[in-house]
Amino acid sequence: MDAYDVIVIGSGAGGGTLVRQLAPSGKRILLVERGDWLPREPQNWLARDVFVDNRYVSEDTWYDGDGKPFQPQVHYCVGGATKLYGAALYRLRKEDFGELRHHDGISPAWPIDYDEMEPYYTRAEQLYQVHGARGEDPTEPPASAPYPFPAVSHEPRIQQLADDLAAAGHQPFHAPCGVMLNEGDMPHSACVRCSTCDGFPCLVHAKSDAEVLGVRPALEHTNVTLLTNARAVRLETNDAGTAVTGVVVERDGARETHSADIVVVSCGAANSAKLLLASASEAHPHGLANGSDQVGRNYMFHNCVAVLALSKEPNPTVFQKTLGLNDFYFGTDDVDYPLGNVQMVGKSSAEMYRGEKPIQTRLAPEWTLEKVARHAVDFWLSTEDLPVPENRVSLSADGSVTLAYRATNDVPKKRLLHELKSLLKHLGMQHDHLLPRHAYLKNDIPVAGCAHQAGTCRFGHDPADSVLNTDCRAHELDNLYVVDTSFFPSIGAVNPALTAMANAVRVGDHLLERMGVPQSRPEHAHVG
Ligand SMILES: Cc1cc2nc3c(=O)[nH]c(=O)nc-3n(C[C@H](O)[C@H](O)[C@H](O)COP(=O)(O)OP(=O)(O)OC[C@H]3O[C@@H](n4cnc5c(N)ncnc54)[C@H](O)[C@@H]3O)c2cc1C
Ligand code: SF4
């Protein structure tokens, strides 16, 4: 058995960021990742391989609340889901940290307020090299520093969309984006501005993901060790159940146990809950840290819809994800409940539509798939999904994840779609077509599209209704932390990764203090 100062389980947005934050401390750190390095290969950028054949999706089988099996869209690799993400790196709104009344109920307040998180958002934006422009988005929370890099420019069709939205009285903004693009010096830019970004791995390692900007720079420190293809299957504790004493890992067909003074779980919301539930013992009969029966509950993943509008003029945009619209985030003049966020998704291609019946049947015969792709403008709408205790992860008889889930806030989701639809005639689009994009969202099986999963181990002041305290340490154990999106008590309506990264920086500061290490900032990453 090897002994470490810190073991971090999972190398995605939470774990990868935390390890980078802790690496300069000189402490002995073990990063345990169940996946491998994601291969760099031509298929990284091939739509058929990535979207149709699910080349990088895990082979897991999960079960829904009725016991029906499905393949979840989860990604097990160094960097976790960030390897495939769209790198839209939003802060939650200041109001998201307070209690908000929604159509279907209350979005609860966080135990810390926005001002407490703000410095960590700023540091996470620097760490992940976010490009953006302050002062355009009317719902933007206050920030103590400008974005570290200028906003990614709109291509002409999206600039036209921004101008048309502004002419219709709206306030579109440049979306915050984690791509290492240097438009002023393209010959030296890591990012080549391609069309295969959102939902694809970046072949040239220019996306600000947790492998490139978290794990790789952390491994430049000899005190950090990474185990790949190493799945944590159980956490063992002392007899009293007050501290984790061993992390049991399956690797190369065998089991091994590692120990550390501090253990941090960051497997993604569903898998972190699974690991804690699978670690039940005499001292924790219902699962580790689960005296409150909260582990696995309040699973959220946004009530999203991906839609395609048809531009009257062709849309030759390559990198489309540069525009956002939050004018309906908190409601409209007629609607006094929040609706959510509108943003662009990666430009769709004919290859991605294969098998998408609604597109093929509703537009045929005038529209070939190639013509649809030439005119498509792709939007992503997300409405907040409320925490519901019955929406939960539990273990099925064979130990795999069961995910019982019922959507909330369907009325605001439809209303947001209606708002976008009623704008189309002002935006140079065919006003009668706004088609759902099933392949992008995987929403033919709603629970399978778990890209934005969060909740399951929420943080709070009261051990009776939360799993973690405000430092993200389990109320019931002295040395167990959780830093993935599990800690979210509510999810807001913007993408979650930057909040997980900022929180990992915050928890990192706490851990450095706990270990008596002077605070240090990670040095600049060597990318390329
Ligand atoms: C296609 C796609 C697009 C997205 N686009 C955006 C976007 O534009 N903006 C945004 O903010 N968010 C986006 N997201 C969501 C974002 O990627 C996630 O919110 C974020 O990565 C969650 O971080 P995490 O640390 O909770 O989990 P993850 O990043 O998933 O990391 C969990 C890690 O734990 C590992 N693991 C799991 N179980 C075990 C185990 N038992 N032992 C060891 N290791 C384990 C996994 O392999 C993985 O590496 C997107 C996600 C997807 C899939
Ligand atoms: S080169 Fe740029 S646009 Fe293309 S995948 Fe990489 S980060 Fe995204």
Side-chain angles (χ1 to χ4, degrees), residues 42-212:
Q43 290 90 334
N44 287 175
W45 279 350
L46 296 182
R48 166 161 283 282
D49 291 81
V50 176
F51 273 82
V52 182
D53 297 341
N54 283 336
R55 185 174 181 84
Y56 304 111
V57 173
S58 101
E59 287 175 2
D60 267 14
T61 299
W62 293 2
Y63 298 88
D64 70 12
D66 298 323
K68 217 165 116 209
F70 66 91
Q71 187 188 12
Q73 298 290 309
V74 286
H75 308 89
Y76 298 142
C77 52
V78 176
T82 69
K83 285 307 293 174
L84 283 296
Y85 78 167
L89 292 174
Y90 282 82
R91 297 178 180 213
L92 283 173
R93 313 295 90 176
K94 187 177 170 75
E95 295 82 347
D96 288 324
F97 285 75
E99 184 177 291
L100 277 177
R101 180 167 292 283
H102 280 252
H103 182 273
D104 280 9
I106 297 291
S107 167
W110 286 38
I112 60 173
D113 62 17
Y114 173 78
D115 295 340
E116 208 169 318
M117 191 65 106
E118 196 289 327
Y120 303 104
Y121 271 129
T122 296
R123 283 166 62 185
E125 283 173 350
Q126 286 161 357
L127 211 53
Y128 281 90
Q129 307 194 14
V130 183
H131 293 54
R134 303 249 190 255
E136 296 180 348
D137 172 1
T139 68
E140 178 182 65
S144 55
Y147 280 107
F149 292 92
V152 178
S153 66
H154 296 317
E155 290 174 48
R157 181 65 188 90
I158 303 303
Q159 184 59 55
Q160 186 61 53
L161 175 61
D163 295 344
D164 290 344
L165 282 165
H170 288 283
Q171 292 168 279
F173 56 89
H174 286 87
C177 194
V179 293
M180 294 176 238
L181 178 68
N182 183 352
E183 295 188 69
D185 185 9
M186 280 310 282
H188 295 102
S189 172
C191 168
V192 299
R193 191 172 189 138
C194 72
S195 61
T196 45
C197 192
D198 193 4
F200 296 81
C202 178
L203 180 55
V204 295
H205 276 191
K207 196 192 284 191
S208 298
D209 64 43
E211 176 200 340
V212 174

Side-chain angles (χ1 to χ4, degrees), residues 238 241-244 261-263 469 473-481 510-511 514:
N238 56 7
T242 53
V244 177
D261 295 339
I262 293 168
V263 173
N469 71 9
R473 181 178 63 75
H475 289 296
E476 296 169 32
L477 290 102
D478 294 333
N479 68 343
L480 175 66
Y481 292 79
H510 161 78
L511 293 180
R514 174 177 168 151

Side-chain angles (χ1 to χ4, degrees), residues 9-15 32-35 73 75-77 79-82 84-89 198-199 230-232 266-269 271 321 440 451-452 484-485 495-498 500:
I9 307 168
S11 64
V32 176
E33 168 54 54
R34 73 177 284 173
Q73 298 290 309
H75 308 89
Y76 298 142
C77 52
T82 69
L84 283 296
Y85 78 167
L89 292 174
D198 193 4
R231 187 165 68 95
S266 192
C267 302
N271 277 306
K321 212 171 159 133
Y440 191 87
H452 287 192
D484 53 35
T485 53
N495 318 48
L498 187 74

